Amino acid sequence: MSSKLLFDRIDEPGLSTLAVYERRGGYSALRKALAMAPEDVLSELEASGLRGRGGAGFQMGKKVSFLPKGSMEKYLVCNADESEPGTFKDRELMQKSPHMLLEGIVIGSYAAGANCSFIYIRGEYVLQADVLDAALAEARAAGYLGEDILGSGHSLSLTVHRGAGAYICGEETGLLDSLEGKRGNPRLKPPFPANQGLYQGPTLINNVETLCTVPTILRMGGSQYAKLGVETSTGTKIVSVSGQVRRPGNYEITLGTPSREIVYGLAGGPPEGREVKCWFPGGSSSPVLRADDLDLPYDFDSIAKAGSMLGSGAIIVVDDSTPILDVALKVAKFYRHESCGKCTPCREGTNWTVKMLERIDSGEATPMDLDIMASVQEHIIGNCLCVLGDAMAMPIGSMIAKFRPEFEAHIEAARARNGLGAAGALAGPAPALAQGAL
Amino acid sequence: MSAIPRLDGGSRAPGFDRAADLQKEPAEVPDPATTPVPAELRSAIEQAMERYPDPRSATIPALHAAQELHGWCSPEAIEQVACVMRLTPAYLESVASFYDMLETAPVGRHSVYVCTNISCSLRGADELFEAVRAAAGEDPDFNVRSFECLGACDIAPMASVDGVYVGPLGAEDVPQLIEDVRAGRPVLPEKQLVRRACADPEAGA
């Protein structure tokens, strides 16, 4: 018996069709849920301890319970914008088992009292959106969606909304603005989406993997599910391993599995003769960890204690053949491109960080630039409407802190290439700074 | 009107470096009587608008549809969407300029997005991008772009060719890729993501 919950026989031919999904017991969790009171479904979700799989790791049951009671129009939005670099788990789930997601959405909407739902899928996922549309039509025809689902009195409309390429639309309020037909600018919080979200109505927003887990929780029972994993990180998690490993891909693990087992055991570790230099435990927004942190158990709290975060569960491995400056520059350029431009610290901070990193490469920098750069990161964190700026500041800050000698060596080497004197001998501000070029 | 001088690499807000013509009246919601809209585009937009509680939610699907017809979000395309949706062209342009997949300048009709984000670049995506760009050359049919993470790091380095994900790609695959696109064949069928099994050894079929 495989320990896979979400990936159980995921490659079975035809799993994306209703016939095969039902043969495997699909939609039985929905029937079970609809026979219960919505509050009881909610308490199963709360008992499971399921934490959101999108990045923030907030308890799903608690999030549902934040929605106000009453008869106002409520919404459920599934966040399928998966754009965090290194993350590709939702893609595999939606493409191969779309009905699992639909079932989770219907159960979630029943618990939350929502009658209108959307899947916001990133525009680049053409194949997956087509698969979802086909599954949606099947589910609707079979009475799993629409008016009076299976005679329970619960109704739900569901629309697959294709985005158009913007990382910021994975941020929940940016997503809502985009879904309302605007530029995807994040909103000021509070009010939180649970109170005022889509079309100003109470809105529950959950990641694909979170919602895919809901049918399993209903089948197993919340308390049974909570026995998997470790105390504050229950259940299984799909980890996307990428970068310099031999077998990149999605692996479903029980939370609390040693990180080394994931990186080396499952993904095969770095290529022959190379060592892990650093790794991102939760997408490119998470502070990097070193090779000796590989012994950490892979769960929300252990990774947080080590100064990073589990994020979306995307491990990016960088081996010792890659200069840390290249990694930093790639990351910073991404956030510069994706910053929506609304908040100054993020818009300017990402831009200046890229420029300062480029100065290192072109030999114009001194080690003092590293201090300036680190202080720029500190001034971004917590000073914007959303965490996009923080998502650059945290990894860049961690790289400067953990790989400072390498940055300094890079500075000296580039200066020597340029025929400039050693930076270490300079007193006072860097020449470019004195000329006011900064 | 001359361009506003800006510091090199100044603001990156799209369109910010183009000075607005302050003498011109702002464009209003187009008059349906004088704005011809192709019937198929009109029906596509109207269908999209029906799907949402607030019809304005359909801006992205509507702009996608217009882009498919016109090749890019041209002033004419924007005008037509604005006419059907009863919005100002300026509003729609603000939306179109925000998203990477909506083109605000004419481009080739075949899009090749090469992912050059961290996971792909660690496996040689930057070289791949240069190779694809060189192979496509000056062919006006191609829109070769480097793209941010496309969510397929398991097949890194990869590209999305007219929406079809292919990878892992090496320099040796590039001529075939270009050839397949030109001939209108499925692109590198052996390397398409749709054929890839889950990496988890215990997932299985």
Side-chain angles (χ1 to χ4, degrees):
Chain A
M1 179 61 202
S2 103
S3 62
K4 308 296 161 188
L5 300 178
L6 301 176
F7 271 175
D8 180 26
R9 292 164 290 154
I10 189 86
D11 281 320
E12 182 170 342
L15 180 57
S16 64
T17 63
L18 184 61
V20 175
Y21 186 68
E22 275 184 324
R23 176 165 57 66
R24 284 176 41 165
Y27 288 105
S28 64
L30 175 62
R31 287 176 200 277
K32 188 175 168 190
L34 292 178
M36 297 157 68
E39 305 80 61
D40 297 335
V41 177
L42 176 56
S43 34
E44 288 295 327
L45 293 177
E46 282 182 319
S48 73
L50 174 68
R51 292 176 69 165
R53 306 302 198 217
F58 196 78
Q59 286 217 0
M60 191 218 172
K62 211 171 263 177
K63 210 172 185 179
V64 179
S65 72
F66 285 163
L67 260 67
K69 309 281 176 279
S71 60
M72 71 285 266
E73 186 74 77
K74 294 176 211 166
Y75 301 93
L76 185 149
V77 179
C78 169
N79 186 344
D81 193 60
E82 190 168 63
S83 314
E84 176 70 25
T87 315
F88 45 91
K89 62 194 174 66
D90 299 342
R91 186 205 74 210
E92 190 138 30
L93 287 170
M94 290 188 287
Q95 180 186 325
K96 295 182 175 169
S97 192
H99 284 286
M100 187 160 64
L101 174 60
L102 299 186
E103 189 177 4
I105 288 175
V106 183
I107 299 172
S109 74
Y110 181 65
N115 298 114
C116 184
S117 63
F118 296 91
I119 299 175
Y120 187 105
I121 184 167
R122 62 181 299 189
E124 294 89 341
Y125 282 176
V126 181
L127 168 68
Q128 293 74 16
D130 289 346
V131 169
L132 280 173
D133 269 331
L136 193 60
E138 276 188 308
R140 215 177 263 142
Y144 293 126
L145 273 168
E147 298 291 317
D148 191 17
I149 297 167
L150 303 174
S152 65
H154 176 62
S155 303
L156 182 70
S157 71
L158 175 57
T159 305
V160 177
H161 180 91
R162 302 176 195 220
Y167 172 70
I168 191 64
C169 294
E171 197 278 336
E172 55 181 13
T173 59
L175 183 152
L176 293 176
D177 263 23
S178 176
L179 188 50
E180 288 179 1
K182 306 170 187 161
R183 293 163 69 87
N185 288 328
R187 303 174 182 174
L188 180 67
K189 288 179 276 190
F192 288 94
N195 289 313
Q196 261 182 50
L198 188 62
Y199 310 129
Q200 298 295 308
T203 306
L204 174 69
I205 307 173
N206 279 126
N207 170 259
V208 171
E209 191 189 343
T210 316
L211 288 164
C212 281
T213 311
V214 169
T216 308
I217 290 172
L218 261 286
R219 261 194 301 274
M220 292 174 69
S223 49
Q224 201 62 30
Y225 182 85
K227 287 182 187 158
L228 295 168
V230 293
E231 202 187 342
T232 51
S233 304
T234 57
T236 64
K237 170 94 191 74
I238 297 175
V239 185
S240 308
V241 191
S242 66
Q244 286 155 329
V245 288
R246 281 179 245 200
R247 290 189 297 276
N250 284 316
Y251 299 93
E252 183 173 4
I253 56 124
T254 308
L255 284 165
T257 302
S259 308
R260 188 178 298 279
E261 207 173 303
I262 302 169
V263 172
Y264 281 89
L266 292 168
E272 191 67 50
R274 308 238 194 100
E275 295 292 328
V276 174
K277 176 182 209 154
C278 63
W279 55 293
F280 296 81
S284 72
S285 305
S286 58
V288 295
L289 296 175
R290 290 170 179 280
D292 30 315
D293 295 317
L294 278 168
D295 290 314
L296 288 169
Y298 196 74
D299 63 66
F300 287 97
D301 291 348
S302 303
I303 300 289
K305 249 180 244 155
S308 189
M309 58 187 205
L310 195 83
S312 56
I315 296 182
I316 306 169
V317 177
V318 180
D319 74 22
D320 54 4
S321 68
T322 309
I324 195 74
L325 182 71
D326 290 8
V327 180
L329 202 48
K330 262 296 171 211
V331 170
K333 276 185 176 166
F334 168 70
Y335 292 100
R336 177 180 73 172
H337 178 254
E338 297 295 345
S339 172
C340 80
K342 190 168 178 174
C343 313
T344 312
C346 167
R347 181 186 65 238
E348 299 302 317
T350 52
N351 190 22
W352 282 109
T353 302
V354 170
K355 287 183 179 175
M356 285 188 280
L357 288 165
E358 283 171 344
R359 282 157 52 95
I360 293 181
D361 213 22
S362 63
E364 296 165 75
T366 70
M368 193 187 149
D369 288 65
L370 293 174
D371 296 322
I372 299 174
M373 200 155 48
S375 102
V376 167
Q377 311 312 316
E378 282 163 25
H379 285 93
I380 296 173
I381 294 176
N383 289 330
C384 304
L385 287 186
C386 83
V387 294
L388 188 141
D390 302 24
M392 178 203 71
M394 291 186 297
I396 298 289
S398 74
M399 284 182 226
I400 298 172
K402 289 184 181 171
F403 295 92
R404 191 171 175 115
E406 189 184 328
F407 276 111
E408 286 176 352
H410 207 116
I411 290 171
E412 295 298 352
R415 286 182 71 89
R417 242 192 350 261
N418 259 8
L420 290 168
L426 288 174
L433 189 68
Q435 288 156 21
L438 201 77
Chain B
M1 189 180 256
S2 62
I4 297 171
R6 297 231 166 258
L7 293 171
D8 178 42
S11 168
R12 289 160 293 106
F16 209 76
D17 294 321
R18 272 182 290 148
D21 183 354
L22 299 176
Q23 310 301 313
K24 212 167 81 180
E25 290 290 325
E28 289 174 7
V29 178
D31 182 354
T34 56
T35 314
V37 181
E40 57 190 289
L41 180 61
R42 176 183 293 279
S43 87
I45 297 173
E46 284 173 350
Q47 273 176 27
M49 287 163 72
E50 277 168 22
R51 287 205 300 266
Y52 301 92
D54 178 352
R56 248 193 309 180
S57 282
T59 48
I60 291 178
L63 287 168
H64 262 308
Q67 174 164 291
E68 211 159 283
L69 184 72
H70 292 269
W72 63 293
C73 291
S74 61
E76 192 192 0
I78 297 253
E79 183 97 349
Q80 291 173 356
V81 177
C83 176
V84 180
M85 293 191 72
R86 311 309 297 149
L87 293 168
T88 63
Y91 179 85
L92 288 169
E93 201 177 326
S94 83
V95 174
S97 63
F98 189 85
Y99 297 96
D100 283 351
M101 290 174 73
L102 297 172
E103 305 284 353
T104 51
V107 289
R109 64 199 163 97
H110 293 297
S111 64
V112 183
Y113 300 156
V114 182
C115 175
T116 52
N117 209 301
I118 178 88
S119 291
C120 280
S121 75
L122 287 170
R123 299 176 83 92
D126 296 301
E127 295 77 22
L128 174 70
F129 172 57
E130 289 309 325
V132 175
R133 205 155 59 162
E138 298 294 299
D139 191 334
D141 273 353
F142 278 91
N143 170 26
V144 180
R145 284 174 69 175
S146 75
F147 222 77
E148 298 302 353
C149 188
L150 286 160
C153 322
D154 45 347
I155 54 168
M158 57 79 62
S160 167
V161 183
D162 288 327
V164 176
Y165 279 25
V166 284
L169 300 176
E172 69 282 1
D173 297 313
V174 174
Q176 184 68 36
L177 185 153
I178 298 288
E179 199 64 22
D180 284 345
V181 174
R182 282 199 178 121
R185 286 191 298 262
V187 178
L188 300 173
E190 293 305 314
K191 297 231 169 183
Q192 290 189 7
L193 174 75
V194 66
R195 299 200 172 197
R196 194 175 164 88
C198 182
D200 197 321
E202 285 170 53

